[in-house]
Amino acid sequence: MKISDFISAAIAYDEGDARRIQHFMKVYAFAKAIAEGENVDSRTMEIIEAAAVLHDIGIHECECKYGSCSGKYQEKEGVPVAGKILAKLGADSVLVERVCFLIAHHHTFKGIDSLDWQILVEADFLVNIYEEGLRREAVESIRRKVFITKTGLQMLDNMYLK
Ligand SMILES: [Fe+2]
C-alpha cells in the first residue's frame, strides 16, 4: 500500500476544494516529520500517515447533514468515509480500525494515551494555528495543554513563539 494512493483518493474525494486539500497535505507533512523525529516504528508511521491524510475527510458530509463542520460532527462523520477509502485500497483490518479511531478522536485532547494520537493532534494544531491566525496567548495555552513530543514542541516554538 502506498501513501500516494491515500493522497490521490482523498484529493479525489475533496475534488474542487483546494483549501481542504492543502490543509490535509500540510498536516500530513508535519505528522510525518514529527513521527520521524520521534523515531516511531514503521507500522506506527503507516498509521500516522494514513490518519493525517484522512483526518478531516468527514467535513463535506458534515456540511451537508448539519450545515456545520464542528469538531465533534467531523469526528463522527469521518469514520465511515475513511473506512470505505481504506477498504477500497486494501488496508488490513487493524490499520482500518486504528485510523478510524484516530479520526474519531482527533479533536479530543483529553486522555491522549498513545504516540500516534498525540502526533496527529500536534500536527493538526501546527497547521490550524496558522490557518486560523491564532494569537500568541492562544498558542501558549495550546502549548501547555496539548504539546508533548520534543519534535512537535520545537516546531511549535520555532514557528510561532520566537
Ligand atoms: Fe485538520
Side-chain angles (χ1 to χ4, degrees), residues 11-143:
I11 290 175
Y13 185 84
D14 279 344
E15 63 175 1
D17 195 343
R19 195 174 64 84
R20 296 238 159 89
I21 294 166
Q22 303 272 327
H23 172 80
F24 76 68
M25 287 305 292
K26 285 189 277 182
V27 174
Y28 162 67
F30 282 118
K32 186 174 161 69
I34 298 170
E36 264 182 34
E38 299 298 310
N39 298 311
V40 305
D41 59 60
S42 60
R43 179 63 167 170
T44 306
M45 181 62 89
E46 190 178 32
I47 291 164
I48 288 170
E49 288 187 81
V53 170
L54 297 171
H55 77 280
D56 276 338
I57 203 86
I59 283 184
H60 285 149
E61 201 70 15
C62 288
E63 285 172 343
C64 293
K65 277 195 189 168
Y66 315 105
S68 152
C69 52
S70 87
K72 286 291 149 200
Y73 289 144
Q74 250 190 73
E75 289 184 337
K76 181 164 167 275
E77 295 302 324
V79 168
V81 179
K84 266 185 223 154
I85 291 175
L86 287 159
K88 208 165 134 195
L89 295 175
D92 64 81
S93 59
V94 178
L95 183 75
V96 175
E97 201 177 305
R98 188 62 190 165
V99 170
C100 286
F101 172 86
L102 292 173
I103 292 170
H105 293 83
H106 81 273
H107 284 284
T108 305
F109 314 124
K110 287 224 164 80
I112 297 179
D113 60 358
S114 50
L115 193 53
D116 51 2
W117 188 358
Q118 178 66 33
I119 288 173
L120 178 62
V121 165
E122 289 183 7
D124 204 21
F125 269 117
L126 287 174
V127 175
N128 284 333
I129 287 167
Y130 176 73
E131 291 184 348
E132 294 168 16
L134 297 190
R135 301 158 63 94
R136 189 179 181 96
E137 305 84 77
V139 178
E140 282 167 350
S141 163
I142 290 166
R143 186 189 198 283

Side-chain angles (χ1 to χ4, degrees), residues 140-158:
E140 282 167 350
S141 163
I142 290 166
R143 186 189 198 283
R144 269 195 314 276
K145 290 182 188 147
V146 179
F147 276 68
I148 290 177
T149 74
K150 194 167 169 270
T151 313
L153 279 162
Q154 254 171 18
M155 289 178 180
L156 182 80
D157 289 347
N158 285 329

